[in-house]
Amino acid sequence: MDKKTLVIGVIGADVHAVGIRILDYAFQDAGFNVVNLGVMVSQEEFIAAAVETNADAIVVSSLYGHGELDVRGLRDKCVEAGIGDIPIYIGGNIVVGKQPFDKVEERFLAMGLSRAFPPGSTPETAIEYLKKDLGIGQ
Amino acid sequence: MAKVTLLTDFGSTYTKLTAVDLDSERTVGFARVPTTVRTGLPDGLSDGLSELKKQGVTTIAARLACSSAAGGLKMAVSGLMPELTVEAARRAALGAGAKVWRVYSHELTRADIAELNAAPPDIFLLTGGTDGGNKANILKNAGMLSRHAARPFPVVLAGNRAAADEAADLLRAFSPVVCPNVMPTLGVLAAEPVQAAIRTIFLKHIVRAKGLQDVASELNAPLIPTPSAVLAGMTLLADGTDARPGLGGIAGVDIGGATTDVYSICRGEPSEANITLRGLPEPYAKRTVEGDIGLRFSCRGIVSAAGEADIMRHSGLSAEALQTGLSQRENDPGWLAAAGSDLQLDKTLAYFALAIALRRHAGQLESVYTPLGQTFVQTGKDLRPLRHVLLTGGPLIAWHDAGALLAAALRDSGSSLLPRSPAVLVDRGYRFSALGLLATWQPDIALRMMLKEFSYE
Ligand code: B12
């Protein structure tokens, strides 16, 4: 079967560069084709890359606490670009400080993201859900 | 006279012949004759040769030539996303010396094809999708071309590898040249294979279509587009040879009547650790062409880019005098400004042409205000450390204040990463393209001659 393609990157003005590299390796090990955009990635860059590579999912990482601001409008732009149905995940430290995660998750899902992960989630968790959502190994 | 090499540049207005003695490393003859597109380019060439004969050049041992005549190498390019495959295709074509006439993103429409039918390009570069990525786009566009193009034109296919066979089948009537993807993986620009294909088609089709086959068959090296010769010369001047080091990173500006070309030979990477680089990687030898910036045919493009008020203030001309001056330049590409307000307007236009074309070529450094304060993002090339800028073309090279005009154009750079305080070289004898040609064949001699012929301001 063809490999599934993931576009990954750290969104906004966030420069935390280590986690995304670990995610890159973990996803490749799990058999994905990974397009890693690195740090400080804009919404437009995520979308352009996903269209050009015909990606199966977008994985957004956000560590510095401003994830909520940074992903606002991302789903609408995907719809506009013709990839409205693409799964979008977000994880890292997506909001400032410690907040009850069910409330946080609710807000991110309301913005059109497919899944939001609490701090401390491992790459393996993401891989598990990706396999499920993309229908891999069934 | 010993080994004389004839270097011919078939330009859109003039054909320039430069005779070089390779032993003494000197120019021994120079002629400039009108390019005769209608009766065939070789006619202009024989006029030039009789002119050289008068200067004592009788036997010619070797010949090289480049051409931008009859519209140059007119290309249309298409891709999927504007900032990705479209930009990659555009850069590859520019680097191959093409005049990029149309740039299409996403899907070609019937109106686009009507435009292509009305004025078919010399080459169409069809791209889209990374390898294994989007297939639908390039297939859709190949289908549109095959169904609606009135006549086939040369096509280079350099998109998603997984769609190449199917796209080539759709375009069978065009006998497309299939190349490796111009963007095999995201953010990687693979220009060389595409450029090699463009050069091959240029030789096969263009040379024949433009009446150059006899000229081409007598050459000691393949005929190339003029901008390729210039890029080769600039790269040699920057890098040097094993025998002699070059000048290091360099930029060049060629201001013509209709367009202005800017070249830079350098990596242009961020100079400080706290600057993040975004966008497609830049080619080491980069060329951009401003189709709306030129001192004659395109003089109004300069005025609309700079603003009429600024042109009037800088030149001291009234609105009326400015309009008269612009009409004169637009209607007569060979017109020469002698003195007074005519010369003043030419200098004003040249100053703004330099300022605008260099700003469009150079990278940008923007400070981004984030929730966490200020950070810096660079797009494009950082030209600030360049130690040399070469000026050529147009009336500029005859003025002794060309260097001062450039220095003024580099001032107030704002967010543009322009050279900070370069030494200015001027190609007084208009040898740029000829020595670029020689660079492709005899680099050591070409380098020594360039260092001799280009004078410091
Ligand atoms: C190193 C570091 C920095 C370095 C980064 C250097 C670099 N270029 O990478 C520097 C000093 C520059 C820095 C700056 C800042 N930092 Co900092 N930084 C850290 C630190 C100590 C380690 C980050 C790291 O590399 N971890 C190791 C990697 C492997 O883990 P990771 O990044 O968390 O990624 C893993 C997981 O999160 C997960 N994951 C990540 N993304 C996703 C996505 C999905 C979908 C899933 C499922 C999982 C997932 O998988 C990854 C791999 O295992 C953390 C604290 C910490 N211990 O985590 C703070 C931390 C991230 N920084 C923080 C802050 C506040 C900042 C600054 C705002 C500080 C300031 N006021 O200037 C700036 C922001 C600068 C900017 N514009 O981004 C806070 C964020 C708080 C919040 N979100 O509420 C943290 C948590 C520290 C803290 N406890 O306060 N930082």
Side-chain angles (χ1 to χ4, degrees):
Chain A
M1 203 182 77
D2 276 350
K3 282 186 174 183
K4 300 283 183 189
T5 298
L6 307 176
V7 166
I8 72 171
V10 186
I11 201 165
D14 196 331
V15 300
H16 292 93
V18 182
I20 199 70
R21 241 177 271 158
I22 293 183
L23 286 169
D24 188 343
Y25 291 130
F27 291 151
Q28 289 195 43
D29 273 351
F32 291 95
N33 176 27
V34 182
V35 177
N36 183 357
L37 303 178
V39 299
M40 290 186 85
V41 182
S42 69
Q43 293 189 359
E44 289 72 18
E45 287 171 303
F46 273 107
I47 293 168
V51 172
E52 198 80 61
T53 60
N54 203 24
D56 299 286
I58 293 174
V59 179
V60 176
S61 175
S62 176
L63 276 309
Y64 70 165
H66 301 278
E68 200 166 349
L69 210 60
D70 288 337
V71 295
R72 193 170 292 160
L74 178 59
R75 174 60 74 189
D76 290 348
K77 285 186 198 159
C78 285
V79 171
E80 202 67 53
I83 52 167
D85 294 333
I86 194 167
I88 307 176
Y89 289 10
I90 187 167
N93 296 306
I94 60 180
V95 291
V96 179
K98 288 201 166 47
Q99 304 181 26
F101 196 74
D102 52 341
K103 289 272 178 279
V104 172
E105 183 179 24
E106 207 172 279
R107 295 207 300 274
F108 278 85
L109 298 187
M111 285 194 289
L113 273 81
S114 315
R115 294 188 187 280
F117 295 87
S121 302
T122 60
E124 287 64 39
T125 317
I127 291 165
E128 218 170 278
Y129 281 102
L130 281 167
K131 286 192 168 156
K132 200 156 85 193
D133 291 350
L134 303 179
I136 298 170
Q138 288 172 2
Chain B
M1 195 169 294
K3 288 189 203 148
V4 172
T5 298
L6 179 66
L7 306 162
T8 307
D9 172 3
F10 296 100
S12 46
T13 327
Y14 295 105
T15 293
K16 294 187 300 258
L17 294 87
T18 309
V20 172
D21 178 352
L22 294 190
D23 291 332
S24 64
E25 302 186 355
R26 278 183 321 116
T27 305
V28 291
F30 179 75
R32 198 173 81 147
V33 293
T35 297
T36 48
V37 176
R38 265 179 220 97
T39 59
L41 295 177
D43 288 355
L45 185 62
S46 51
D47 290 350
L49 286 171
S50 11
E51 173 65 36
L52 284 182
K53 214 169 256 172
K54 285 184 209 150
Q55 298 172 19
V57 179
T58 47
T59 48
I60 288 163
R63 295 159 199 271
L64 300 174
C66 58
S67 169
S68 57
L73 171 59
K74 177 178 144 187
M75 285 188 63
V77 306
S78 77
L80 176 51
M81 299 303 280
E83 61 276 56
L84 296 173
T85 47
V86 176
E87 180 60 16
R90 201 179 68 85
R91 284 194 198 169
L94 280 172
K99 183 168 146 186
V100 180
W101 167 73
R102 283 291 181 275
V103 178
Y104 303 106
S105 60
H106 301 102
E107 290 178 3
L108 288 169
T109 64
R110 266 186 241 162
D112 296 337
I113 312 258
E115 201 172 52
L116 293 165
N117 285 335
D122 292 325
I123 299 176
F124 192 104
L125 172 57
L126 182 62
T127 74
T130 50
D131 283 346
N134 183 290
K135 270 163 76 166
N137 182 254
I138 195 167
L139 292 177
K140 176 83 198 283
N141 287 344
M144 281 300 284
L145 284 175
S146 76
R147 253 177 288 125
H148 300 291
R151 261 161 282 106
F153 32 74
V155 169
V156 174
L157 251 176
N160 184 354
R161 203 185 116 74
D165 289 340
E166 209 175 320
D169 285 347
L170 286 167
L171 288 167
R172 206 164 326 148
F174 295 72
S175 331
V177 177
V178 181
C179 275
N181 198 343
V182 73
M183 185 179 275
T185 51
L186 201 94
V188 173
L189 177 66
E192 282 74 23
V194 175
Q195 292 172 342
I198 293 172
R199 277 193 293 271
T200 310
I201 298 182
F202 176 78
L203 271 176
K204 262 215 300 259
H205 297 255
I206 321 301
V207 167
R208 196 173 316 136
K210 296 188 173 167
L212 286 167
Q213 61 272 40
D214 292 340
V215 174
S217 64
E218 288 179 4
L219 297 175
N220 294 60
L223 184 100
I224 54 176
T226 305
S228 305
V230 171
L231 262 182
M234 289 285 298
T235 307
L236 176 66
L237 193 55
D239 294 352
T241 64
D242 290 342
R244 182 169 185 161
L247 295 175
I250 188 167
V253 191
D254 181 358
I255 306 188
T259 61
T260 294
D261 288 25
V262 182
Y263 302 84
S264 62
I265 316 294
C266 62
R267 300 240 161 273
E269 281 160 358
S271 50
E272 286 145 51
N274 65 341
I275 299 173
T276 308
L277 183 63
R278 302 256 24 129
L280 265 189
E282 294 282 341
Y284 174 70
K286 176 174 169 130
R287 165 178 180 248
T288 50
V289 182
E290 305 310 330
D292 60 333
I293 304 292
L295 296 188
R296 292 292 172 265
F297 182 73
S298 306
C299 60
R300 279 185 203 276
I302 301 178
V303 179
S304 44
E308 198 170 304
D310 278 359
I311 300 274
M312 283 166 60
R313 193 174 319 122
H314 196 276
S315 63
L317 294 185
S318 68
E320 213 187 341
L322 175 62
Q323 288 312 317
T324 314
L326 294 176
S327 305
Q328 211 157 22
R329 285 166 176 78
E330 240 174 353
N331 297 327
D332 181 5
W335 186 75
L336 290 175
S341 62
D342 285 340
L343 189 57
Q344 190 48 46
L345 180 53
D346 260 8
K347 289 196 174 177
T348 298
L349 291 170
Y351 159 77
F352 282 105
L354 286 169
I356 296 163
L358 278 162
R359 276 167 181 74
R360 290 187 189 164
H361 181 97
Q364 295 277 324
L365 186 64
E366 281 165 295
S367 77
V368 184
Y369 290 94
T370 69
L372 309 161
Q374 208 182 16
T375 57
F376 293 94
V377 176
Q378 176 182 329
T379 45
K381 282 172 122 174
D382 184 356
L383 306 183
R384 287 178 300 181
L386 296 192
R387 307 230 319 269
H388 293 89
V389 174
L390 176 69
L391 297 179
T392 183
L396 192 66
I397 54 175
W399 303 335
H400 42 75
D401 55 353
L405 277 178
L406 178 73
L410 294 176
R411 231 169 272 145
D412 300 325
S413 56
S415 59
S416 290
L417 298 168
L418 298 174
R420 259 200 207 108
S421 51
V424 183
L425 288 165
V426 184
D427 174 22
R428 297 254 178 246
Y430 217 164
R431 304 279 187 261
F432 204 39
S433 57
L435 293 177
L437 256 179
L438 192 62
T440 63
W441 193 54
Q442 295 282 356
D444 283 305
I445 298 176
L447 179 60
R448 285 193 293 270
M449 287 192 68
M450 281 194 265
L451 292 171
K452 232 174 358 194
E453 297 251 3
F454 302 154
S455 46
Y456 279 94
E457 263 284 317

